[in-house]
Structure formats: structure tokens, C-alpha cells
Amino acid sequence: MICIPIVATNLDDAVKDMAEASRFADIVELRIDYLKQPDLKSLLERRTKPVIVTNRPVREGGKFEGREEDRLSLLRLAIQLQADYVDVEHDSIQRLRGNAAINTTGNKTKLIVSYHHFNETPGNLSETYQKLSKSGADIIKIVTFANTIIDNITIYRLLQQAKMPLISFCMGEYGAISRILYKKFGSCLTFASLQKGKESAPGQVNIHELLNVYRVRSQDKQTAIYGLIGNPVSHSIGPYIHNVLFKELGLNAVYVPFKVDKVEPFIKEFKALDTRGYSVTIPYKESVIGCLDETDPMVKKIGAANTVVNKDGRLMGYNTDCEAAMKTLECAIEGASRGSSQLKTATTNSALLKGKTATILGAGGAARAIAFGLKHRGAIVTILNRNYERAQLLAGDVGCLSGRLEDFQADRTDIIINATPVGMYPAVDATPIDKNKLKPGMAVFDTIYNPLETRLMREAREQGCTVVGGLPMFARQAAEQFQLWTGRTPSLESIEKIACERLANTQSRNDNHLPIKKS
Ligand code: NAP
């Protein structure tokens, strides 16, 4: 069940929000501690969905600042008025129950006895659960704060052991997955905010995201879990892509962002959830390899994995960045030679890059995958990087030339690849190469996909170069990843369309003066 808390501070707004929340939620939580003058009778008369009445004191993260007795009186009133549920804090239950007048026997109100920890996820939650299970609660609620992604597993294990109905999840950014995956975790309820800005606790996901991106209504215990391992992960468009693909192909699966601090314990602990696969991003593409059972030859060669597949309990590592980048380049060059814009074919002519001189700007993870791919296809590769030592190191691994960014020589370059974030949103006025160094006939591949057309791409087009951006590469690596996980091949057009919509959406919310053009 999904519950939306009402955090309005006056009666009119509370009534309005309650009506709106009732369109999406199974239960509405009236946070009467937010209300200046809580008119409980009037609010309860207008409910169209079951209501939890909560009057949280400041000490438990709420807004009620008055006397404890006054706070409990309001909860007693809620019981008299036949609220569907009343949430009472674990240390107030005796006092609430001590009054014979509020004995809930024969009353329809169910008691949720709650425990919150706002700083951490303690290790002794089983004891807390045992204590609360003897409190006379109809439902227990145990909510803690996640300081690391692993804290979610503490909650998962608690939920697996629970015999009584238990609402349990982690607050905070690290805890958001326990809210999204609440059915898999076994919590009988999750909370979602009515909209961004109306959260009653940190990490609460808004209802539209919960319903439309993570499709919680169709999740169940069997839902296969996939996700992105990285740090940061909040900017990723991966959840928008993969979740739409799961929906379009009718798969019972969900893809979530995992903000990870240490990759090794994460991989180990999340085996408990039987996660089916991961995308891997900065900074774990290299370090994840040591946590896997097996890697494919390309990963061994490149030294980086961006995809993990759980095959019958064994974790296998792949790199889909490399082939995605090569095919993107080959399609662009082949398309240009045929006088059309870049082709969108699954197979490409891998001999096209043989003997071509390619300059890669950057020496990070993307540059590494591309450099190995180009070398493998017989191109003559030079790596230029701001940090020269890093360029030398990568060049040594690949077996190619290296230099500083300012060493770029146009007359010795057929293909330029930008594998730095220079020109990426929001600093869209930056470019890694002076326009005058771009020559007609060169192929320019900017791996950046936000914005879809970078300044480098625009200027390269003006100079008569063959130009391709990062979106086709992104779509190809995602498609290949999806194929490795599910055995199903999604269409590249479908992925690009979802990505374009999402990027346009994000940018118009953040900065509505920036144009976003499709390459
Ligand atoms: P990374 O491992 O952090 O490497 C970043 C590289 O960019 C390093 O070589 C760094 O140089 C260089 N760099 C950073 N800021 C710079 C600046 N202001 N001026 C000059 N050089 C700078 O990152 P990555 O994963 O390789 O990603 C690099 C780019 O590739 C990003 O723009 C990313 O969006 C793109 N990418 C695209 C796809 C796709 O599917 N389209 C996939 C992966 C990555 P130093 O060594 O001197 O720090």
C-alpha cells in the first residue's frame, strides 16, 4: 500500500491535498502536527480513503511543540472520531493506553506503534521489533536513517524475520531504494510525497515517480531488481530508460539508482536481495572487477566493466561502452560516405577504422574503452590529456601515442573523440578544441550526450566535419546491457527517444533558456 502524508499547515490546503492524494494513494496520513489548528472532525468527515492520524512531536522529527498531554489528547480524539489508524510513538503508547477512555477494544481504529531513528540504522532492530510487538500494536513501524546503502539490507533482514505487519524502510538519500522496493523488502506500506517539496521525511520519493518511473503498483516479491552502481547517481537517466524498456517488453523488473560508497561490501551484501544485474558508472568501473566471479575478455583487456550480470548466482562483468562507441563511430563514418546522416544499423563495417588516425581527448574511463576499441580495430591512436602522466599511463596500457591537450595536430588526425566532460551541461559554452583546428572531412565524435549538440559538434559541423554526439553511444551501451540482462533486444530509437524526452524535461526544469537540439 502507498501512503501520502499531508503536510499542509492550514485546513483548506489540507483538505485540497487530501483530495488530491486520495487519487493516487491507498492511505492518506494526516500529519496534524503540521496544522496550526487541527480540525480533526472536519478532516475525517471529508476523507475518501483510509486515514492515519499522526501527531509527531519535535523529539521524533515532527512539528508538535506543545505539552505531551495535549498531543496525546488529539490522538485520543482521533480514536473517538474513528480514524482508520493512529500512529503513536513507541515511548507514548503506555500513556495513551493508560487512559481507559481510549481503549481501542471495539473501536475500529488500528494502532501503529512507531520507532524512528533520525541519525542511523542501529544494529539491534530485532530487539526493538520484539519490544514493539508486545506493545499492543496492530502494526509496527520501524524507520531509521541510512548513512550507507548497506543500511537498507539491515532493514531488509528485519522485514524478512517479522511475523507481525511491519512498516519499515530507511530515510535519507541512501535509503530511497527501500521505499521504492518496499514490496520486495516486505514492508506493508511505503510513503510517497504528493509532490516535490511536500515531503514529510528525508528521501521520500514523489508519488508520480514512484508510480510512473518505478511502477510500484506492478512490483511484487518476484520483481527482478537491476540498478546503477555509482556515486553520484542522482543525475542518471538510466532509471528512465531501463524502466520504460521493462514496461514496453512486459518484464516484471525494476531498475533503481544505488548510491554506493564502497563497492565491495555493496556487492557482497546485496546478494541477499538477489539483484539480477547492474550498470556501473564513475568511480567503480575498474574497482568492481575485483568483486566479480568472472569477466569477459574485453573487460580483462580494457580493465573496466560497465555491466554486471547475475548468472545463477555468479556475477559476470562486461564492457558495453567499447563496442557502443566503435559502432557509433562506424555508423557516422559510413553514413557520411553514403551521403546520409549517421546510419542506425546493428552491425557495422569494423574495417572502416583500420589505418585511420584517431586523437582521443581525455584519459579517463570512457577514453580507456574507446582507445582499446580503436586499437583493436587497427586505428593509429593518440591520447591527449590535461594530466599528461595519466595520458602516458593509458597510452602505455593500450600501446599508442600520448601528449598534452595543447599538442593536438589537425593534419595528423582523421578522427577526434572528446572523452572529457568539457562542453557538458551546464557549462555548454566550453569546447575542448579551437574551431580553427577542425578541418573538413574530419570525423568528430563528442561522447557527451547532455546537451545533445555540444559547442564542439556545432562548430565541427560548420567546418564541414562528420559529426556524431554521445547519445547513440549511450543508447547502444544501454541496449547491449539490457540484452545481456534479459536476452531481449530493445530498439535504439526507443532508447534515444526516451533519453531525449528525459534530458529536455530535466533541462527545462533547471534552465529553460537552454536550447536542446537533436543531432
Ligand atoms: P573520467 O573517468 O572522470 O575522466 C574524465 C577525463 O576528462 C579525464 O581524462 C580528465 O582529465 C578529463 N577532464 C575533466 N575535466 C576536464 C577539463 N576541465 N579540461 C580538460 N580535461 C578534463 O570520466 P569518463 O567516464 O571517462 O567520462 C568522460 C566523458 O565521457 C564525460 O563527458 C561523459 O559524459 C562521457 N561518457 C559518455 C558515455 C556515453 O555513453 N555517451 C559513456 C561514458 C562516458 P584529467 O585526467 O586531467 O583529470
Short mmCIF file of all heavy atoms in Angstrom, two decimals, residues 281-282 285-286 321 324 361-368 370 384-388 390-391 405 418-422 424 432 445-450 469-475 477, ligand 1:
data_model
loop_
_atom_site.label_atom_id
_atom_site.label_comp_id
_atom_site.label_asym_id
_atom_site.label_seq_id
_atom_site.Cartn_x
_atom_site.Cartn_y
_atom_site.Cartn_z
N THR A 281 28.97 2.84 -13.05
CA THR A 281 29.48 4.12 -13.53
C THR A 281 30.55 4.65 -12.60
O THR A 281 30.98 3.95 -11.67
CB THR A 281 28.31 5.12 -13.74
OG1 THR A 281 28.82 6.27 -14.41
CG2 THR A 281 27.65 5.54 -12.44
N ILE A 282 31.01 5.88 -12.88
CA ILE A 282 32.07 6.53 -12.09
C ILE A 282 31.75 6.42 -10.60
O ILE A 282 30.61 6.70 -10.23
CB ILE A 282 32.19 8.02 -12.47
CG1 ILE A 282 32.60 8.15 -13.94
CG2 ILE A 282 33.16 8.77 -11.59
CD1 ILE A 282 32.54 9.58 -14.46
N LYS A 285 34.03 1.61 -12.29
CA LYS A 285 34.16 0.73 -13.46
C LYS A 285 35.40 -0.18 -13.37
O LYS A 285 35.40 -1.27 -13.91
CB LYS A 285 34.23 1.57 -14.74
CG LYS A 285 32.88 2.15 -15.15
CD LYS A 285 32.93 2.83 -16.49
CE LYS A 285 31.58 3.45 -16.79
NZ LYS A 285 31.51 4.11 -18.09
N GLU A 286 36.43 0.31 -12.69
CA GLU A 286 37.63 -0.52 -12.55
C GLU A 286 37.56 -1.37 -11.28
O GLU A 286 37.80 -2.58 -11.33
CB GLU A 286 38.88 0.36 -12.55
CG GLU A 286 39.11 0.99 -13.91
CD GLU A 286 40.12 2.13 -13.92
OE1 GLU A 286 41.09 2.05 -13.16
OE2 GLU A 286 39.93 3.08 -14.68
N ASP A 321 30.54 -0.26 -23.24
CA ASP A 321 30.91 1.09 -23.70
C ASP A 321 31.76 1.01 -24.98
O ASP A 321 31.58 1.79 -25.91
CB ASP A 321 31.78 1.81 -22.64
CG ASP A 321 30.95 2.38 -21.51
OD1 ASP A 321 29.75 2.63 -21.72
OD2 ASP A 321 31.51 2.59 -20.42
N ALA A 324 29.90 -0.03 -28.14
CA ALA A 324 28.91 1.02 -28.43
C ALA A 324 29.60 2.21 -29.09
O ALA A 324 29.09 2.78 -30.06
CB ALA A 324 28.22 1.45 -27.13
N LEU A 361 40.67 12.88 -26.74
CA LEU A 361 40.88 13.90 -25.71
C LEU A 361 40.36 13.33 -24.40
O LEU A 361 39.18 13.01 -24.30
CB LEU A 361 40.13 15.19 -26.06
CG LEU A 361 40.31 15.69 -27.50
CD1 LEU A 361 39.43 16.91 -27.74
CD2 LEU A 361 41.78 16.02 -27.78
N GLY A 362 41.24 13.16 -23.41
CA GLY A 362 40.84 12.57 -22.14
C GLY A 362 41.51 11.22 -21.94
O GLY A 362 41.90 10.56 -22.92
N ALA A 363 41.68 10.85 -20.68
CA ALA A 363 42.33 9.57 -20.37
C ALA A 363 41.61 8.86 -19.23
O ALA A 363 42.20 8.10 -18.48
CB ALA A 363 43.80 9.81 -20.01
N GLY A 364 40.30 9.14 -19.09
CA GLY A 364 39.51 8.51 -18.03
C GLY A 364 38.89 7.21 -18.52
O GLY A 364 39.37 6.59 -19.49
N GLY A 365 37.80 6.81 -17.86
CA GLY A 365 37.16 5.53 -18.17
C GLY A 365 36.66 5.44 -19.60
O GLY A 365 36.88 4.41 -20.26
N ALA A 366 35.99 6.48 -20.09
CA ALA A 366 35.44 6.44 -21.44
C ALA A 366 36.58 6.39 -22.45
O ALA A 366 36.55 5.58 -23.40
CB ALA A 366 34.56 7.66 -21.70
N ALA A 367 37.62 7.22 -22.24
CA ALA A 367 38.77 7.24 -23.14
C ALA A 367 39.43 5.86 -23.19
O ALA A 367 39.82 5.37 -24.25
CB ALA A 367 39.78 8.28 -22.67
N ARG A 368 39.49 5.21 -22.04
CA ARG A 368 40.13 3.88 -21.96
C ARG A 368 39.39 2.87 -22.84
O ARG A 368 40.01 2.18 -23.66
CB ARG A 368 40.14 3.44 -20.49
CG ARG A 368 40.62 2.05 -20.22
CD ARG A 368 40.86 1.85 -18.73
NE ARG A 368 42.14 2.42 -18.32
CZ ARG A 368 43.32 1.77 -18.38
NH1 ARG A 368 43.37 0.53 -18.83
NH2 ARG A 368 44.43 2.34 -18.00
N ILE A 370 37.39 3.46 -25.34
CA ILE A 370 37.45 3.86 -26.75
C ILE A 370 38.84 3.59 -27.32
O ILE A 370 38.97 3.11 -28.45
CB ILE A 370 37.04 5.35 -26.89
CG1 ILE A 370 35.55 5.51 -26.54
CG2 ILE A 370 37.33 5.88 -28.28
CD1 ILE A 370 35.07 6.92 -26.38
N LEU A 384 45.45 12.45 -25.75
CA LEU A 384 45.87 13.74 -25.21
C LEU A 384 45.07 14.02 -23.94
O LEU A 384 43.86 13.84 -23.93
CB LEU A 384 45.59 14.86 -26.23
CG LEU A 384 46.20 14.70 -27.63
CD1 LEU A 384 45.86 15.90 -28.50
CD2 LEU A 384 47.72 14.51 -27.57
N ASN A 385 45.77 14.43 -22.91
CA ASN A 385 45.04 14.66 -21.66
C ASN A 385 45.62 15.85 -20.90
O ASN A 385 46.80 16.19 -21.03
CB ASN A 385 45.12 13.40 -20.77
CG ASN A 385 44.10 13.44 -19.66
OD1 ASN A 385 42.95 13.85 -19.88
ND2 ASN A 385 44.48 13.03 -18.46
N ARG A 386 44.74 16.48 -20.13
CA ARG A 386 45.15 17.60 -19.27
C ARG A 386 46.27 17.13 -18.34
O ARG A 386 47.30 17.76 -18.24
CB ARG A 386 43.91 18.05 -18.48
CG ARG A 386 44.12 19.19 -17.57
CD ARG A 386 42.81 19.59 -16.93
NE ARG A 386 42.23 18.52 -16.11
CZ ARG A 386 41.13 18.64 -15.40
NH1 ARG A 386 40.44 19.76 -15.42
NH2 ARG A 386 40.67 17.64 -14.68
N ASN A 387 46.06 16.00 -17.69
CA ASN A 387 47.09 15.41 -16.84
C ASN A 387 47.93 14.47 -17.72
O ASN A 387 47.49 13.38 -18.09
CB ASN A 387 46.39 14.65 -15.70
CG ASN A 387 47.35 13.89 -14.83
OD1 ASN A 387 48.46 13.53 -15.25
ND2 ASN A 387 46.93 13.64 -13.60
N TYR A 388 49.12 14.94 -18.04
CA TYR A 388 49.93 14.23 -19.03
C TYR A 388 50.33 12.82 -18.56
O TYR A 388 50.33 11.86 -19.33
CB TYR A 388 51.17 15.07 -19.37
CG TYR A 388 52.09 14.41 -20.36
CD1 TYR A 388 51.60 13.87 -21.56
CD2 TYR A 388 53.46 14.32 -20.10
CE1 TYR A 388 52.46 13.24 -22.46
CE2 TYR A 388 54.32 13.70 -21.00
CZ TYR A 388 53.81 13.16 -22.17
OH TYR A 388 54.64 12.53 -23.06
N ARG A 390 48.73 10.81 -16.77
CA ARG A 390 47.59 9.89 -16.95
C ARG A 390 47.48 9.45 -18.42
O ARG A 390 47.18 8.30 -18.72
CB ARG A 390 46.31 10.59 -16.51
CG ARG A 390 45.28 9.65 -15.98
CD ARG A 390 44.15 10.40 -15.35
NE ARG A 390 43.01 9.52 -15.18
CZ ARG A 390 41.78 9.93 -14.99
NH1 ARG A 390 41.51 11.22 -14.94
NH2 ARG A 390 40.79 9.08 -14.85
N ALA A 391 47.76 10.40 -19.32
CA ALA A 391 47.73 10.07 -20.76
C ALA A 391 48.82 9.04 -21.07
O ALA A 391 48.59 8.06 -21.79
CB ALA A 391 47.96 11.34 -21.58
N LEU A 405 46.89 18.15 -24.07
CA LEU A 405 45.77 18.65 -24.89
C LEU A 405 46.25 19.65 -25.92
O LEU A 405 45.81 19.65 -27.08
CB LEU A 405 44.71 19.30 -24.00
CG LEU A 405 43.79 18.34 -23.22
CD1 LEU A 405 42.82 19.13 -22.35
CD2 LEU A 405 43.02 17.42 -24.16
N ASN A 418 36.07 13.42 -28.26
CA ASN A 418 36.11 14.12 -26.97
C ASN A 418 35.60 13.17 -25.88
O ASN A 418 34.42 12.85 -25.84
CB ASN A 418 35.26 15.39 -26.99
CG ASN A 418 35.25 16.07 -25.62
OD1 ASN A 418 36.25 15.99 -24.87
ND2 ASN A 418 34.16 16.73 -25.27
N ALA A 419 36.51 12.73 -25.02
CA ALA A 419 36.13 11.88 -23.89
C ALA A 419 36.42 12.61 -22.59
O ALA A 419 36.83 12.00 -21.59
CB ALA A 419 36.87 10.55 -23.97
N THR A 420 36.24 13.94 -22.62
CA THR A 420 36.29 14.75 -21.39
C THR A 420 34.89 15.33 -21.19
O THR A 420 34.09 15.34 -22.13
CB THR A 420 37.29 15.92 -21.50
OG1 THR A 420 36.69 16.96 -22.29
CG2 THR A 420 38.61 15.51 -22.11
N PRO A 421 34.62 15.86 -20.00
CA PRO A 421 33.30 16.49 -19.83
C PRO A 421 33.26 17.95 -20.30
O PRO A 421 32.29 18.65 -20.02
CB PRO A 421 33.06 16.38 -18.32
CG PRO A 421 34.40 16.17 -17.71
CD PRO A 421 35.37 15.75 -18.75
N VAL A 422 34.28 18.40 -21.02
CA VAL A 422 34.32 19.81 -21.44
C VAL A 422 33.22 20.06 -22.48
O VAL A 422 33.23 19.43 -23.55
CB VAL A 422 35.70 20.19 -22.00
CG1 VAL A 422 35.71 21.65 -22.45
CG2 VAL A 422 36.79 19.93 -20.96
N MET A 424 29.96 19.88 -21.43
CA MET A 424 28.78 19.20 -20.88
C MET A 424 27.90 20.19 -20.12
O MET A 424 28.40 21.17 -19.57
CB MET A 424 29.25 18.08 -19.94
CG MET A 424 28.17 17.13 -19.53
SD MET A 424 28.89 15.59 -18.95
CE MET A 424 29.31 15.99 -17.29
N PRO A 432 36.59 21.70 -26.07
CA PRO A 432 37.96 21.25 -25.82
C PRO A 432 38.93 21.57 -26.95
O PRO A 432 40.14 21.46 -26.79
CB PRO A 432 37.80 19.73 -25.67
CG PRO A 432 36.60 19.39 -26.47
CD PRO A 432 35.69 20.59 -26.43
N PHE A 445 33.67 13.05 -32.87
CA PHE A 445 32.76 12.29 -32.02
C PHE A 445 32.85 12.85 -30.61
O PHE A 445 33.88 12.73 -29.95
CB PHE A 445 33.18 10.81 -32.07
CG PHE A 445 32.45 9.88 -31.13
CD1 PHE A 445 31.21 10.19 -30.58
CD2 PHE A 445 33.01 8.64 -30.80
CE1 PHE A 445 30.55 9.33 -29.72
CE2 PHE A 445 32.37 7.76 -29.95
CZ PHE A 445 31.14 8.11 -29.40
N ASP A 446 31.78 13.50 -30.18
CA ASP A 446 31.75 14.01 -28.80
C ASP A 446 30.93 13.03 -27.97
O ASP A 446 29.74 12.84 -28.24
CB ASP A 446 31.12 15.42 -28.77
CG ASP A 446 31.44 16.13 -27.47
OD1 ASP A 446 31.74 15.43 -26.48
OD2 ASP A 446 31.40 17.37 -27.44
N THR A 447 31.56 12.43 -26.97
CA THR A 447 30.85 11.39 -26.19
C THR A 447 29.80 11.99 -25.24
O THR A 447 28.99 11.26 -24.67
CB THR A 447 31.83 10.55 -25.34
OG1 THR A 447 32.48 11.41 -24.41
CG2 THR A 447 32.84 9.83 -26.19
N ILE A 448 29.81 13.31 -25.10
CA ILE A 448 28.82 13.97 -24.23
C ILE A 448 27.43 13.83 -24.84
O ILE A 448 27.27 13.99 -26.06
CB ILE A 448 29.19 15.47 -24.08
CG1 ILE A 448 30.48 15.60 -23.26
CG2 ILE A 448 28.05 16.27 -23.45
CD1 ILE A 448 31.05 17.00 -23.21
N TYR A 449 26.41 13.54 -24.02
CA TYR A 449 25.05 13.49 -24.55
C TYR A 449 24.12 14.51 -23.91
O TYR A 449 22.94 14.58 -24.24
CB TYR A 449 24.45 12.08 -24.47
CG TYR A 449 24.39 11.48 -23.09
CD1 TYR A 449 23.38 11.83 -22.21
CD2 TYR A 449 25.34 10.56 -22.68
CE1 TYR A 449 23.33 11.28 -20.94
CE2 TYR A 449 25.30 10.01 -21.41
CZ TYR A 449 24.29 10.37 -20.55
OH TYR A 449 24.25 9.83 -19.29
N ASN A 450 24.66 15.30 -23.03
CA ASN A 450 23.86 16.37 -22.42
C ASN A 450 24.69 17.64 -22.43
O ASN A 450 25.58 17.78 -21.61
CB ASN A 450 23.45 15.99 -21.01
CG ASN A 450 22.48 16.99 -20.40
OD1 ASN A 450 21.99 17.87 -21.10
ND2 ASN A 450 22.23 16.85 -19.11
N GLY A 469 27.30 12.71 -31.82
CA GLY A 469 27.30 13.02 -30.39
C GLY A 469 27.25 11.75 -29.54
O GLY A 469 27.30 10.63 -30.06
N GLY A 470 27.13 11.93 -28.24
CA GLY A 470 27.21 10.81 -27.30
C GLY A 470 25.93 10.00 -27.17
O GLY A 470 25.96 8.88 -26.64
N LEU A 471 24.80 10.54 -27.65
CA LEU A 471 23.54 9.82 -27.43
C LEU A 471 23.50 8.44 -28.10
O LEU A 471 23.11 7.46 -27.45
CB LEU A 471 22.35 10.68 -27.88
CG LEU A 471 20.99 10.06 -27.57
CD1 LEU A 471 20.76 9.96 -26.07
CD2 LEU A 471 19.86 10.84 -28.24
N PRO A 472 23.92 8.33 -29.38
CA PRO A 472 23.89 6.98 -29.98
C PRO A 472 24.77 5.99 -29.22
O PRO A 472 24.42 4.82 -29.09
CB PRO A 472 24.42 7.21 -31.39
CG PRO A 472 24.25 8.67 -31.66
CD PRO A 472 24.35 9.36 -30.34
N MET A 473 25.90 6.47 -28.70
CA MET A 473 26.76 5.58 -27.91
C MET A 473 26.05 5.17 -26.63
O MET A 473 26.04 3.99 -26.25
CB MET A 473 28.08 6.28 -27.57
CG MET A 473 28.95 5.48 -26.60
SD MET A 473 30.47 6.35 -26.16
CE MET A 473 31.02 5.39 -24.75
N PHE A 474 25.43 6.16 -25.99
CA PHE A 474 24.71 5.86 -24.75
C PHE A 474 23.61 4.84 -25.01
O PHE A 474 23.44 3.87 -24.28
CB PHE A 474 24.11 7.15 -24.16
CG PHE A 474 23.33 6.89 -22.92
CD1 PHE A 474 23.97 6.75 -21.70
CD2 PHE A 474 21.95 6.72 -22.97
CE1 PHE A 474 23.26 6.45 -20.55
CE2 PHE A 474 21.23 6.43 -21.82
CZ PHE A 474 21.89 6.30 -20.62
N ALA A 475 22.87 5.07 -26.12
CA ALA A 475 21.76 4.16 -26.44
C ALA A 475 22.28 2.75 -26.73
O ALA A 475 21.70 1.76 -26.26
CB ALA A 475 20.99 4.70 -27.65
N GLN A 477 25.14 1.31 -25.68
CA GLN A 477 25.66 0.60 -24.49
C GLN A 477 24.52 0.15 -23.60
O GLN A 477 24.56 -0.91 -23.00
CB GLN A 477 26.75 1.40 -23.75
CG GLN A 477 26.34 2.72 -23.11
CD GLN A 477 25.58 2.55 -21.80
OE1 GLN A 477 25.80 1.58 -21.08
NE2 GLN A 477 24.68 3.48 -21.51
P1 NAP B 1 36.51 10.24 -16.02
O1 NAP B 1 36.96 8.84 -15.89
O2 NAP B 1 36.29 11.06 -14.80
O3 NAP B 1 37.59 11.02 -16.94
C1 NAP B 1 37.45 12.38 -17.24
C2 NAP B 1 38.52 12.81 -18.22
O4 NAP B 1 38.23 14.14 -18.62
C3 NAP B 1 39.92 12.82 -17.63
O5 NAP B 1 40.84 12.49 -18.62
C4 NAP B 1 40.09 14.30 -17.21
O6 NAP B 1 41.40 14.74 -17.27
C5 NAP B 1 39.34 14.99 -18.30
N1 NAP B 1 38.84 16.29 -17.87
C6 NAP B 1 37.95 16.51 -16.86
N2 NAP B 1 37.73 17.84 -16.76
C7 NAP B 1 38.50 18.45 -17.69
C8 NAP B 1 38.70 19.79 -18.06
N3 NAP B 1 38.06 20.80 -17.46
N4 NAP B 1 39.57 20.07 -19.05
C9 NAP B 1 40.22 19.07 -19.68
N5 NAP B 1 40.08 17.75 -19.38
C10 NAP B 1 39.22 17.46 -18.39
O7 NAP B 1 35.16 10.33 -16.85
P2 NAP B 1 34.65 9.36 -18.04
O8 NAP B 1 33.77 8.31 -17.51
O9 NAP B 1 35.82 8.96 -18.86
O10 NAP B 1 33.71 10.38 -18.82
C11 NAP B 1 34.27 11.36 -19.65
C12 NAP B 1 33.21 11.87 -20.62
O11 NAP B 1 32.70 10.81 -21.39
C13 NAP B 1 32.01 12.52 -19.92
O12 NAP B 1 31.68 13.69 -20.60
C14 NAP B 1 30.91 11.52 -20.09
O13 NAP B 1 29.65 12.16 -20.24
C15 NAP B 1 31.28 10.84 -21.38
N6 NAP B 1 30.76 9.48 -21.45
C16 NAP B 1 29.79 9.22 -22.36
C17 NAP B 1 29.25 7.95 -22.46
C18 NAP B 1 28.17 7.69 -23.48
O14 NAP B 1 27.58 6.61 -23.44
N7 NAP B 1 27.90 8.60 -24.36
C19 NAP B 1 29.72 6.92 -21.64
C20 NAP B 1 30.74 7.21 -20.71
C21 NAP B 1 31.25 8.50 -20.63
P3 NAP B 1 42.41 14.63 -16.02
O15 NAP B 1 42.99 13.25 -16.08
O16 NAP B 1 43.40 15.70 -16.28
O17 NAP B 1 41.60 14.87 -14.78
#
